[in-house]
Amino acid sequence: MAAEPGQAASSAQNPPPSLEQLQDLLLESPGFDEFLLELSVFSAAKLAAPEPLLCAISVERDGRPVTVASSSEAAKRMDEKQYGFDDGPCLTALRENRRVLVEDLEESERWRRYAGAVGHGAASVLAVPIDAGPDASAALNCYAMSTDLFDEAAIASVESYAHSLSRILRLALRVHRVALHPERLHGALQSRAVVDAALSLVMAQTRSSRDEAAGILHDMALSSKQQLKRIAADILNGAKLPERAGHGDETHG
């Protein structure tokens, strides 16, 4: 379900996800790491608008190392830089429970070291905390390729979205009480690669946006009661899309 590009827009254009949508993500995921990865790529798609945005979600609890899941390989590379430094906008938002906006990475004195490591991977960053309960801390990190994306409306939209994730993240932490293991993300990343490929195929076949293609996959998963990665694998192996998704003769098996 991946969304290398997602984008930020106003709250009116991007209403918060329903609890049912978020519960489906949790039910589909065999473990917390997988859930966090699915949630990060879902977030990138949900915050979609005309300009690309990459997302990451970080969680820290019980003094264990931070677990981070990124919506794309590009976001993953930028995330790894700040965790290598043990400092960055998302870690600051998580640990200090406050919003961190870096309007221009190249001009930022505070984040000069981080910006130098990231290079041209992003122009601006917005990190906002997510209330994960008394025993955990979490944050949503958003990377933009321009310096003018995060205006007041976009910031309000991202903060509202992060607030909407609090309840499901608390529930996921309670359901998956076992220790968080970042190395388990490897298998989840392989699953995401399959979903990425299926999304691209659906977009090509239906001439739809990435957000619309993600909706098609989710609908198929819900109707068949199968995990999203299974649906994605079936599509790559030639499964036909629903008639309503294929725009008539443009749908191919």
Side-chain angles (χ1 to χ4, degrees), residues 69-199:
S70 312
S71 68
S72 70
E73 285 301 315
K76 180 175 180 288
R77 288 191 295 271
M78 288 184 283
D79 292 335
E80 288 173 344
K81 297 298 183 182
Q82 64 177 315
Y83 294 101
F85 290 140
D86 195 35
D87 185 33
C90 193
L91 283 176
T92 300
L94 183 152
R95 292 168 176 170
E96 299 182 10
N97 192 36
R98 64 180 179 88
R99 180 181 78 199
V100 177
L101 173 62
V102 187
E103 295 177 313
D104 189 335
L105 273 172
E106 289 189 358
E107 299 298 325
S108 173
E109 290 293 327
R110 168 66 177 86
W111 306 109
R112 176 177 293 178
R113 185 176 177 222
Y114 173 62
V118 170
H120 298 292
S124 57
V125 183
L126 174 64
V128 297
I130 304 171
D131 183 1
D135 301 318
S137 300
L140 169 65
N141 200 32
C142 301
Y143 298 100
M145 302 303 113
S146 70
T147 58
D148 57 1
L149 179 62
F150 295 123
D151 57 15
E152 290 185 7
I155 293 170
S157 179
V158 172
E159 289 187 318
S160 175
Y161 179 83
H163 178 74
S164 74
L165 299 183
S166 173
R167 186 174 180 182
I168 197 67
L169 185 56
R170 287 180 180 224
L171 179 59
L173 285 165
R174 293 187 65 180
V175 170
H176 300 291
R177 292 181 180 275
V178 295
L180 307 183
H181 298 294
E183 63 272 14
R184 288 185 57 201
L185 284 173
H186 177 70
L189 286 169
Q190 290 180 321
S191 296
R192 188 188 68 193
V194 172
V195 179
D196 261 333
L199 273 174

